[in-house]
Amino acid sequence: LLDWLDRLGVQRCTVSIPYLLELIKKRYPKIKVYISTSSRVDSLERAKHWEDLGADGIILDSVSVNRNFRLIKQLRRILKCELILIANVNCLYGCPFKNYHCTAISHASQSISCGKGFFLDYSSLMCGYLRVKHPENFIRADWIRPEDLPLYESLGIDRIKLVDRTMPTEFITAVTSAYINRRYEG
């Protein structure tokens, strides 16, 4: 797979396994390697570990880092690699479901999944329930307002990432437009 990606001219990839980072950096030095948010990088120690292994950038854990300005400043002061945050995740603050959710979605997406295309997304259902039960969870969630991008840039965030490939094109276009314009009414 990596040989094929290299032949295609892939310039970047994202991993969550330390061995893959080391393998790609050794055998495919032209490919930049980024660390997935699934790796839950939420401390200087974790970030330094990945950078020392050769990471070109780290997609920080949005659940615990997006609102931790002190940590973001510390990471920027010490690390040389790119620092990236996901801006439009709507996870509960300190989400207890994140690890399970990432794992479950990964397994459910496999073509040999025992669910044969059906996946009961317990994590999303519980998040939705907890937002309705406690509406303050909408505000406390780890999303970043488009208007706040300059603050994150001043703290040292190099890029933001927008997610949600499961949404319709119109939704993705509206979200992208809001972040490009750094403004959203609604």
Side-chain angles (χ1 to χ4, degrees):
L1 174 63
L2 291 170
D3 286 340
W4 178 65
L5 294 174
D6 188 49
R7 283 194 306 276
L8 288 175
V10 167
Q11 297 173 353
R12 297 180 179 150
C13 69
T14 303
V15 301
S16 59
I17 301 169
Y19 169 72
L20 285 178
L21 168 61
E22 291 182 282
L23 177 72
I24 295 166
K25 295 307 283 184
K26 182 176 180 180
R27 293 192 182 168
Y28 309 93
K30 289 187 270 180
I31 297 177
K32 290 188 178 234
V33 184
Y34 291 79
I35 306 311
S36 171
T37 188
S38 298
S39 295
R40 305 282 317 251
V41 177
D42 61 359
S43 69
L44 176 60
E45 293 76 19
R46 283 187 186 185
K48 190 76 175 113
H49 174 76
W50 285 105
E51 185 178 67
D52 290 347
L53 289 176
D56 295 292
I58 300 170
I59 305 166
L60 299 165
D61 180 42
S62 59
V63 169
S64 57
V65 177
N66 279 15
R67 305 278 171 92
N68 189 340
F69 303 131
R70 185 177 298 155
L71 176 61
I72 294 170
K73 280 190 217 174
Q74 180 186 42
L75 293 171
R76 179 67 299 149
R77 192 173 59 250
I78 294 172
L79 301 175
K80 293 174 181 58
C81 68
E82 278 188 73
L83 298 177
I84 302 156
L85 283 175
I86 298 176
N88 66 323
V89 173
N90 198 19
C91 289
L92 297 171
Y93 182 74
C95 181
F97 308 113
K98 185 173 182 189
N99 284 349
Y100 167 69
H101 199 198
C102 290
T103 302
I105 289 171
S106 173
H107 288 289
S109 71
Q110 296 174 352
S111 60
I112 58 170
S113 170
C114 62
K116 297 185 180 10
F118 176 76
F119 170 59
L120 180 61
D121 193 347
Y122 169 83
S123 300
S124 288
L125 292 171
M126 283 303 294
C127 283
Y129 168 73
L130 291 171
R131 279 192 209 99
V132 171
K133 185 175 180 185
H134 304 284
E136 65 272 17
N137 283 324
F138 282 105
I139 302 298
R140 290 173 25 128
D142 60 1
W143 55 281
I144 297 169
R145 295 180 333 135
E147 294 83 354
D148 292 335
L149 292 181
L151 167 66
Y152 285 88
E153 291 166 347
S154 74
L155 295 172
I157 294 300
D158 296 295
R159 286 191 288 135
I160 62 152
K161 180 177 176 176
L162 301 175
V163 297
D164 221 334
R165 60 189 80 134
T166 62
M167 298 308 256
T169 302
E170 298 79 29
F171 176 84
I172 294 170
T173 302
V175 167
T176 303
S177 179
Y179 283 96
I180 287 172
N181 295 321
R182 296 173 177 240
R183 184 166 180 253
Y184 179 75
E185 292 293 328

